[in-house]
């Protein structure tokens, strides 16, 4: 397979397709929709926060005298709608785990896309709920909020670990044999390409020995993994810089951004994927162990938060707050 075939598509697809012949970037539509999702949510949250800033910074006794109180208090015209939006987000967040249990739901769309939507909603929900609560977190609802925030923050670590386990296009974990086959193909492509000298690639592909990794305490191994991911960004920039003129180096922010040289970018994509997959294989047992433990924490906290949120919704419904 040519360097071209591997490098033309996105990171996750690239991994799964390293042994086939992909030509079309089928993920583009999803990426655009996701980007728009982040844009809309950010605009909404920032817009309402900016509008309500002089209200949210008042203390509880001053708020009823603000002209914005009727709009922004939790039961206000905007406040209650934010609560309903939070509820819709909350229900949608749970579609991802439900999908694994309901076969018909599981057949809709791809797992990876559902997870991306889960992450978008999971990150946005605490902001929307904080605005709904007008930044006053009390009682059941307050506890639910803090648990949701903890679940959301833990989700960021979970998402990182999820990405450390090599997966196929439908997000199923790949066997070690499948990963090694992909690695071998990437290695062949790297050896064939003529753009990047092998001596330059050595720094990028240099990893600690398996024995050393095995003896590391889990937390240290996790931090090490993250540092390797971070340092790869700069090593790739160094690789790029060697092929760029001074002006190009400035426009690409010292090689951090992609260049307009397709051959170079294709070779770099293969090198990046090879370095990334080699690191994931090296730390695989550690990632799997921690990801399993992470599930044990993320799940019960999510359900506790769901229970408290439901109690809160039932209580406000009984108090007649939905008669707007
Ligand atoms: C605040 C709202 C959130 C709730 C209530 C929530 C809830 C859940 C639940 C119930 C699961 C299934 C757990 C299991 O099957 O063991 C799950 C999985 C997951 N969540 Fe969240 N989550 C939230 C936010 C987030 C965020 C913000 C992220 C990432 C930034 C995230 C990343 C993940 C990942 C990576 C998985 C595991 C995927 C898998 O193994 O298939 N979650 N979440």
């Amino acid at each position: 397979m040519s360097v071209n075939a591997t490098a033309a598509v996105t990171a996750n697809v690239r991994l799964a397709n390293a042994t086939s012949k992909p030509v079309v970037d089928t993920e583009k539509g999803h990426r655009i929709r996701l980007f728009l999702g982040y844009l809309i949510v950010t605009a909404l949250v920032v817009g309402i926060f900016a509008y309500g800033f002089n209200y949210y910074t008042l203390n509880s006794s001053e708020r009823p005298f603000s002209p914005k109180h009727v709009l922004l208090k939790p039961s206000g015209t905007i406040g209650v709608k934010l609560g309903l939006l939070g509820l819709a987000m909350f229900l949608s967040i749970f579609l991802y785990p439900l999908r694994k249990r309901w076969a018909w739901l599981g057949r809709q769309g791809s797992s990876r896309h559902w997870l991306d939507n889960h992450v978008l909603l999971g990150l946005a929900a605490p902001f929307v709920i904080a605005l709904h609560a007008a930044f006053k977190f009390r009682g059941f609802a307050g506890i639910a909020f803090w648990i949701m925030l903890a679940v959301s923050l833990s989700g960021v670590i979970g998402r990182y670990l999820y990405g450390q386990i090599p997966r196929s296009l439908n997000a199923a974990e790949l066997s070690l044999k499948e990963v090694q086959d992909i690695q071998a193909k990437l290695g062949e492509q790297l050896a064939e390409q003529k753009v990047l000298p092998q001596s330059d690639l050595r720094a990028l592909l240099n990893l600690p020995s398996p024995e050393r990794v095995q003896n590391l305490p889990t937390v240290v191994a996790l931090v090490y993994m993250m540092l390797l991911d971070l340092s790869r960004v700069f090593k790739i920039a160094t690789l790029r810089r060697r092929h760029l003129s001074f002006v190009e180096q400035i426009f690409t922010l010292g090689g951090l951004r992609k260049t307009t040289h397709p051959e170079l970018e294709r070779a770099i994509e293969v090198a990046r994927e090879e370095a990334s997959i080699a690191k994931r294989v090296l730390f695989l047992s550690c990632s799997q162990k921690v990801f399993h433990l992470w599930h044990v924490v993320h799940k019960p906290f999510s359900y506790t938060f769901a229970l408290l949120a439901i109690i809160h919704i039932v209580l406000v419904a009984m108090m007649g707050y939905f008669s707007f």
Side-chain angles (χ1 to χ4, degrees), residues 206-218:
N206 191 20
L207 286 171
S209 71
E211 295 72 36
R212 189 166 167 220
V213 170
Q214 251 171 14
N215 292 329
L216 289 175
T218 309

Side-chain angles (χ1 to χ4, degrees), residues 38 89-90 93-94 96-98 100-101 111 115 118-126 147-163 167 171 173 291-292 294-296 298-303 305-306:
Y38 276 98
M89 293 171 109
F90 156 81
I93 284 170
F94 280 93
Y96 178 73
L98 275 179
K100 291 183 182 168
R101 289 187 179 74
S111 281
L115 181 60
H118 175 86
V119 170
L120 164 61
L121 294 165
L123 288 174
I147 295 178
M148 176 170 73
L149 192 64
V151 173
S152 179
L153 292 175
S154 88
V156 177
I157 299 169
R159 182 63 188 87
Y160 175 74
L161 291 167
Y162 178 94
R167 291 165 196 276
E173 285 184 29
F291 191 49
H292 177 72
W294 174 86
H295 266 272
V296 174
H298 195 69
K299 209 156 129 180
F301 269 89
S302 307
Y303 295 141
F305 147 68

Side-chain angles (χ1 to χ4, degrees), residues 114 186 213 221 241 282:
W114 278 83
L186 288 167
V213 170
R241 274 202 306 277
L282 188 62

Side-chain angles (χ1 to χ4, degrees), residues 246-259:
F246 180 69
V247 176
E248 283 176 318
Q249 289 192 23
I250 293 175
F251 277 108
T252 59
L253 304 177
L256 288 172
R257 292 184 64 229
K258 283 191 177 174
T259 64

Side-chain angles (χ1 to χ4, degrees), residues 174-188:
L174 293 176
S175 70
L176 194 58
K177 168 84 179 68
E178 287 171 311
V179 179
Q180 281 165 345
D181 286 349
I182 293 171
Q183 233 183 324
K185 293 272 174 201
L186 288 167
E188 278 169 26

Side-chain angles (χ1 to χ4, degrees), residues 248-302:
E248 283 176 318
Q249 289 192 23
I250 293 175
F251 277 108
T252 59
L253 304 177
L256 288 172
R257 292 184 64 229
K258 283 191 177 174
T259 64
T260 48
H261 304 290
E263 278 301 311
L264 173 66
E265 288 308 318
R266 280 195 285 271
I268 281 187
E269 277 307 307
V270 178
R272 186 210 307 274
E273 196 57 41
E274 165 72 4
S276 159
I277 202 165
K279 189 222 68 182
R280 283 184 274 171
V281 169
L282 188 62
F283 287 86
L284 190 58
S285 64
C286 170
S287 309
Q288 284 172 327
K289 190 171 79 185
V290 183
F291 191 49
H292 177 72
L293 285 175
W294 174 86
H295 266 272
V296 174
V297 177
H298 195 69
K299 209 156 129 180
F301 269 89
S302 307

